[in-house]
Amino acid sequence: MSESKGMETTAERTPAGYRLYTTRDVELLTFIRRPRTLGLHLDDIREVLAIRDGGSSLCATVRDLLDAQIAELDATVTELLGLKQGAGARDGCRRWQRTGAIPRRTAPDADG
């Protein structure tokens, strides 16, 4: 996956096709794996690597990327909670089936 994004080193291969990684390759792959477990996108990781290789400080950039990831996760959680609350309508359907009571239809609102 990271190879297709241009972040993986060009490791030599054995005659059987296995990659031969150097210590630096392993360090790079380990570095890439850590932010991936936090949900960071490969494009973000590439940006961090470019800053690191340029000799600049990473802290502010990594903090900003993590803050953006947290905001994205918060939005996803909010959306999922809304779906969960909407799924409560299925309980009403079960009650109607069990009791035989057909719910009264309310007048459609202006949208529908």
Side-chain angles (χ1 to χ4, degrees), residues 30-84:
T30 302
F31 180 87
I32 291 170
R33 185 184 306 141
R34 284 186 198 132
R36 287 292 295 152
T37 61
L38 297 173
L40 291 180
H41 303 286
L42 290 176
D43 291 337
D44 296 332
I45 297 168
R46 184 186 298 114
E47 180 183 343
V48 169
L49 287 171
I51 293 168
R52 182 192 71 174
D53 292 344
S56 299
S57 175
L58 291 175
C59 291
T61 301
V62 170
R63 199 173 318 121
D64 290 345
L65 290 171
L66 289 174
D67 286 345
Q69 182 63 23
I70 289 168
E72 194 175 308
L73 288 171
D74 285 343
T76 300
V77 167
T78 300
E79 183 180 342
L80 289 172
L81 288 172
L83 288 172
K84 182 179 179 182

Side-chain angles (χ1 to χ4, degrees), residues 1-51:
M1 179 175 13
S2 56
E3 185 175 17
S4 65
K5 292 280 189 172
M7 288 192 298
E8 193 170 294
T9 61
T10 54
E12 292 184 37
R13 292 184 180 263
T14 67
Y18 293 103
R19 288 188 175 105
L20 298 171
Y21 292 108
T22 65
T23 302
R24 186 177 187 295
D25 295 335
V26 172
E27 288 171 359
L28 176 62
L29 293 171
T30 302
F31 180 87
I32 291 170
R33 185 184 306 141
R34 284 186 198 132
R36 287 292 295 152
T37 61
L38 297 173
L40 291 180
H41 303 286
L42 290 176
D43 291 337
D44 296 332
I45 297 168
R46 184 186 298 114
E47 180 183 343
V48 169
L49 287 171
I51 293 168

Side-chain angles (χ1 to χ4, degrees), residues 86-103:
R90 73 171 189 247
D91 294 334
C93 291
R94 286 190 196 127
R95 186 172 52 252
W96 299 328
Q97 288 175 337
R98 188 176 57 245
T99 63
I102 299 173

Side-chain angles (χ1 to χ4, degrees), residues 105-112:
R105 198 178 146 104
T106 59
D109 60 11
D111 293 331

